[in-house]
Amino acid sequence: MRNMIAYCGLDCGKCDAYLATINDDQALREKTAKLWAELNNAPILPEHINCEGCRVDGAKTVFCDSLCGIRQCALKKDVETCGDCPDMESCQTVGEIILNNPDALKNLRG
């Protein structure tokens, strides 16, 4: 579903926070919180792992809701995804995602 592609091009449908939310999977919430806390050196708890996708109404992780610069920029520019932004090719904000995830770029162009 196209609206499950995040502003940055990542597929929300493959995100562990999304999967834990839609499946009400507490074990996956705990596993994801532990991993994300280690990766981000931040106090991320299982109750923080609830997200229904960054472009749809509903629950979002704290990062996706208010800390993600990509989401904030896309909302400000009123674009469906970064793929609709004329500055995408030179954008440093989404550039790191695209560099590290070739599927994100395919999703943005697709």
Side-chain angles (χ1 to χ4, degrees):
M1 196 152 77
R2 176 92 175 117
N3 67 348
M4 291 314 298
I5 299 302
Y7 291 105
C8 65
L10 294 177
D11 185 344
C12 292
K14 294 179 180 177
C15 174
D16 285 341
Y18 174 77
L19 293 171
T21 302
I22 64 163
N23 295 312
D24 196 20
D25 185 336
Q26 188 61 24
L28 183 55
R29 275 190 190 96
E30 291 171 9
K31 176 184 167 190
T32 303
K34 184 176 190 272
L35 175 64
W36 288 7
E38 290 170 2
L39 290 173
N40 295 289
N41 194 27
I44 299 172
L45 304 173
E47 55 265 30
H48 299 146
I49 306 300
N50 288 294
C51 193
E52 296 175 58
C54 76
R55 293 183 39 232
V56 298
D57 290 334
K60 291 170 192 25
T61 65
V62 171
F63 178 82
C64 294
D65 187 41
S66 57
L67 301 175
C68 177
I70 295 169
R71 182 173 185 269
Q72 297 306 314
C73 180
L75 288 170
K76 181 179 171 185
K77 290 184 174 186
D78 196 29
V79 293
E80 188 174 331
T81 70
C82 293
D84 299 319
C85 179
D87 303 321
M88 183 185 78
E89 298 296 328
S90 61
C91 179
Q92 291 181 354
T93 306
V94 75
E96 191 171 324
I97 298 288
I98 292 170
L99 181 66
N100 291 310
N101 192 321
D103 286 339
L105 181 58
K106 279 192 247 175
N107 290 336
L108 291 172
R109 288 186 173 154

